Amino acid sequence: MYKYFVGFVLLINVCVMAQETSFINDLYFDYSNYKEISLAKKRIKHADIIQLMDKLKENKKFEISKVGKSAQKRDIHLIKYGNGKTKVFLWSQMHGDESTATMGLFDIFNFLTAMDRYDDLRKLLNDSLTIYFIPMVNPDGAEVYQRRNAYDIDINRDYVNKQTPEARMLRSVFDTIRADFGFNLHDQNGSYAAGESPRNAAISFLAPAVNYNKDITPNRKVAMQVIAAINKSLKQYIPGHIAKYNDDFEPRAFGDNFQKEGMSTILIESGGWLNDTEKQFVRKLNFLALISAFINIANSTYTKYDVKEYESIPFNKEIFSDVILRSVTLKRGKKQIVADVAVKRVEKNSKDYKIGYYESEVDDIGDLTGAYGLEEYDCTGLTLEPGKIFSKTVSKVDTLEDVDINKIFLEGCTTIQVKKIDDSLAFCKYPINVCSKNKKQIESKVGSPADFGLYKDGELIYIMVNGYLYDPNNETGYIANGRINR
Ligand SMILES: [Zn+2]
């Protein structure tokens, strides 16, 4: 009899696990029904989410309360969903410029408020779990798209000292809820690979350590099992692009301390994806990862996963540049050398913090085996020359509207002189760099702007403007913006 009973329980578990996989498969295709379209770009602000929360308040399934104020007196909200025994607590955007999961949370709210063929799933989540969300821990940072809070303190290093109102709020909400599971939602930059591989880390997970010894305490083990379950749901869509975040103990951070306090805590870091500067694909991965976690927690199916499955996820490694030009010929005095050239595009904030622009630079030159570019180009047989400054001058940046920029590129020029550059301009919205009069051409060295012409037998093949490769002969390619050199 016992044997049959065990067999029956196993069968149920297999069925429940298969059901979870099928939900995630379906949701991968149905996701667009729930995507919160008003949050279409990563620079989201407090006012954007206040509007959405006002709408959410009308839905009886949610309870929304104010749980604190930021340093600049912006309200911080807690959203509660469900009536189940198991408590799950999620907090996002503790770093103001890390908004990917926040967008994902609003997709989840849309999913939870919808009525469709997933109603049984909603009932399961509603009846088994009580889920608490803080969608924006650091609204002041979000306002100016910066990591730190208004006091210039990193909230995630303020767990012990509690000098910021945001850290005090988070600790006090944690104490009030005393959740079983916690999700600490962040972003990492796109320069991380999943292990020693040419695949970048689209998403990274961590069950934070509780001490320098990295002991696997019972609740840390549970966090590892939940991550193993999420990994299984996601890996078919992004094979080789899932990583584990550095597991060194950080005594000042929230995740590590909450884990120490007994809540099974999971860190999710939204990483990079090719041509996804606004992180919209990674946002979808967050949505799927969290729904998968909720199902596994509600059904307790995470208990079937082995810690070894968590351990088999490779650690992320910082080895990515935005672009690598492979085996390009460089002129050094009278000599020619062949080397790889890595280029990084540094994202900056516009003055109103509403949009970002890029300033690129040469990151490395040499044998870059073991490093990877999100974009890679084989430049064998191509000679790199610094981008030239166009011989004619225009009066104002706006005059570029009527200029045939491609023609300028065909002469190997990446920059044009402008008589008067407005002081308020941070970048050039046209795909060419501008400089004030009498500026000299810049040599192509590490740290210098990435503006080149690439030639074959003296004939221009490609041009790189502000870190973006463009083919002027066929007029193909994309250049986000030009740089201003005053
Ligand atoms: Zn962060």
Side-chain angles (χ1 to χ4, degrees):
M1 183 63 199
Y2 174 75
K3 207 163 70 183
Y4 291 117
F5 178 72
V6 169
F8 181 63
V9 169
L10 275 175
L11 184 69
I12 289 180
N13 277 325
V14 168
C15 288
V16 170
M17 282 167 94
Q19 189 193 26
E20 186 267 324
T21 311
S22 120
F23 274 136
I24 299 301
N25 280 339
D26 292 347
L27 280 170
Y28 187 86
F29 295 101
D30 290 342
Y31 164 75
S32 60
N33 296 342
Y34 311 110
K35 182 174 177 176
E36 177 48 55
I37 48 168
S38 73
L39 305 176
K41 297 206 162 184
K42 63 186 178 185
R43 281 176 167 69
I44 56 175
K45 299 190 182 203
H46 189 243
D48 302 325
I49 69 159
I50 289 292
Q51 243 176 359
L52 292 170
M53 281 193 293
D54 282 344
K55 256 201 288 180
L56 206 57
K57 273 180 198 157
E58 292 162 17
N59 191 307
K60 284 198 184 108
K61 287 180 184 165
F62 293 91
E63 272 174 44
I64 303 181
S65 54
K66 287 181 192 171
V67 283
K69 276 184 191 295
S70 68
Q72 291 175 339
K73 305 281 180 256
R74 292 186 174 89
D75 289 326
I76 301 172
H77 294 87
L78 180 72
I79 300 172
K80 183 182 166 199
Y81 170 89
N83 304 300
K85 207 170 89 220
T86 306
K87 292 179 186 173
V88 183
F89 177 31
L90 303 91
W91 63 99
S92 179
Q93 219 169 340
M94 181 195 274
H95 294 136
D97 57 353
E98 299 178 8
S99 62
T100 307
T102 308
M103 296 187 279
L105 291 185
F106 281 90
D107 302 336
I108 286 177
F109 301 148
N110 286 347
F111 171 74
L112 293 174
T113 46
M115 281 187 284
D116 55 26
R117 67 187 178 114
Y118 298 102
D119 283 349
D120 287 349
L121 171 56
R122 289 182 191 103
K123 185 168 167 23
L124 168 76
L125 301 184
N126 186 81
D127 295 350
S128 319
L129 309 176
T130 303
I131 316 177
Y132 300 85
F133 305 87
I134 299 179
M136 192 183 271
V137 172
N138 180 6
D140 301 348
E143 203 63 17
V144 292
Y145 202 66
Q146 71 175 23
R147 176 180 177 89
R148 290 161 185 264
N149 88 329
Y151 299 160
D152 213 22
I153 296 282
D154 182 340
I155 299 165
N156 208 22
R157 299 292 178 271
D158 193 33
Y159 178 88
V160 179
N161 282 357
K162 292 183 189 63
Q163 292 302 295
T164 61
E166 297 88 356
R168 290 193 291 272
M169 173 281 302
L170 193 52
R171 178 63 214 239
S172 128
V173 172
F174 170 83
D175 282 335
T176 312
I177 299 173
R178 285 279 156 184
D180 306 286
F181 294 85
F183 290 83
N184 187 10
L185 307 173
H186 290 254
D187 277 69
Q188 64 183 113
N189 71 43
S191 61
Y192 289 89
E196 296 276 354
S197 83
R199 290 174 298 274
N200 65 311
I203 195 160
S204 299
F205 298 97
L206 176 73
V210 298
N211 52 29
Y212 290 106
N213 213 22
K214 303 181 187 179
D215 293 334
I216 302 178
T217 55
N219 63 292
R220 186 172 181 228
K221 180 186 168 196
V222 166
M224 290 173 170
Q225 289 174 302
V226 173
I227 292 170
I230 301 172
N231 180 48
K232 184 171 174 266
S233 307
L234 284 193
K235 67 180 177 187
Q236 56 179 315
Y237 305 109
I238 45 169
H241 289 274
I242 299 176
K244 214 160 55 204
Y245 197 77
N246 179 345
D247 66 349
D248 288 343
F249 178 59
E250 172 48 80
R252 303 167 299 167
F254 274 83
D256 307 51
N257 280 291
F258 284 169
Q259 190 91 277
K260 205 168 148 182
E261 293 276 335
M263 175 170 73
S264 289
T265 306
I266 291 145
L267 170 76
I268 301 184
E269 294 272 349
S270 296
W273 195 249
L274 184 64
N275 298 329
D276 187 24
T277 49
E278 295 298 335
K279 295 211 158 186
Q280 298 300 300
F281 177 66
V282 186
R283 155 197 194 161
K284 175 177 173 176
L285 296 177
N286 264 271
F287 171 86
L288 295 169
L290 292 173
I291 299 272
S292 162
F294 295 161
I295 298 173
N296 275 289
I297 293 170
N299 285 328
S300 296
T301 36
Y302 67 85
T303 55
K304 307 297 158 210
Y305 289 85
D306 201 300
V307 167
K308 284 200 183 85
E309 289 168 76
Y310 167 80
E311 283 167 347
S312 71
I313 303 171
F315 277 109
N316 60 17
K317 242 190 127 195
E318 203 168 4
I319 49 175
F320 266 91
S321 296
D322 289 298
V323 187
I324 292 188
L325 307 176
R326 294 282 179 195
S327 307
V328 65
T329 303
L330 299 160
K331 290 182 175 169
R332 290 293 184 254
K334 285 185 183 154
K335 293 229 161 75
Q336 293 200 331
I337 57 165
V338 174
D340 305 327
V341 175
V343 170
K344 73 171 172 203
R345 301 170 185 149
V346 182
E347 188 176 355
K348 309 224 161 174
N349 282 314
S350 65
K351 288 203 171 117
D352 61 3
Y353 303 102
K354 282 188 181 148
I355 53 171
Y357 66 93
Y358 294 88
E359 291 194 348
S360 74
E361 63 179 50
V362 177
D363 201 19
D364 203 354
I365 299 177
D367 177 358
L368 304 183
T369 306
Y372 299 99
L374 286 169
E375 296 171 29
E376 293 227 2
Y377 301 96
D378 179 5
C379 295
T380 309
L382 297 180
T383 304
L384 183 149
E385 304 238 10
K388 295 176 197 154
I389 298 174
F390 191 54
S391 54
K392 291 186 190 119
T393 305
V394 295
S395 56
K396 291 186 304 190
V397 172
D398 282 342
T399 324
L400 290 169
E401 187 72 46
D402 306 315
V403 170
D404 184 350
I405 293 174
N406 199 65
K407 228 167 144 185
I408 298 175
F409 289 162
L410 284 166
E411 292 187 28
C413 299
T414 52
T415 302
I416 185 164
Q417 294 187 359
V418 175
K419 265 185 210 141
K420 190 177 170 0
I421 303 173
D422 223 327
D423 283 345
S424 64
L425 272 191
F427 65 98
C428 175
K429 66 178 179 182
Y430 300 100
I432 189 165
N433 305 312
V434 299
C435 69
S436 50
K437 280 179 80 181
N438 306 322
K439 283 275 175 198
K440 290 219 176 81
Q441 187 176 306
I442 299 164
E443 253 192 283
S444 305
K445 290 164 110 179
V446 172
S448 70
D451 300 317
F452 325 121
L454 292 161
Y455 298 81
K456 188 173 185 141
D457 304 325
E459 195 188 314
L460 183 80
I461 305 294
Y462 295 110
I463 197 129
M464 177 168 267
V465 181
N466 196 24
Y468 291 86
L469 200 72
Y470 188 81
D471 174 357
N473 296 303
N474 296 302
E475 300 191 29
T476 52
Y478 165 76
I479 298 165
N481 62 271
R483 230 179 27 259
I484 291 183
N485 183 13
R486 283 192 168 80

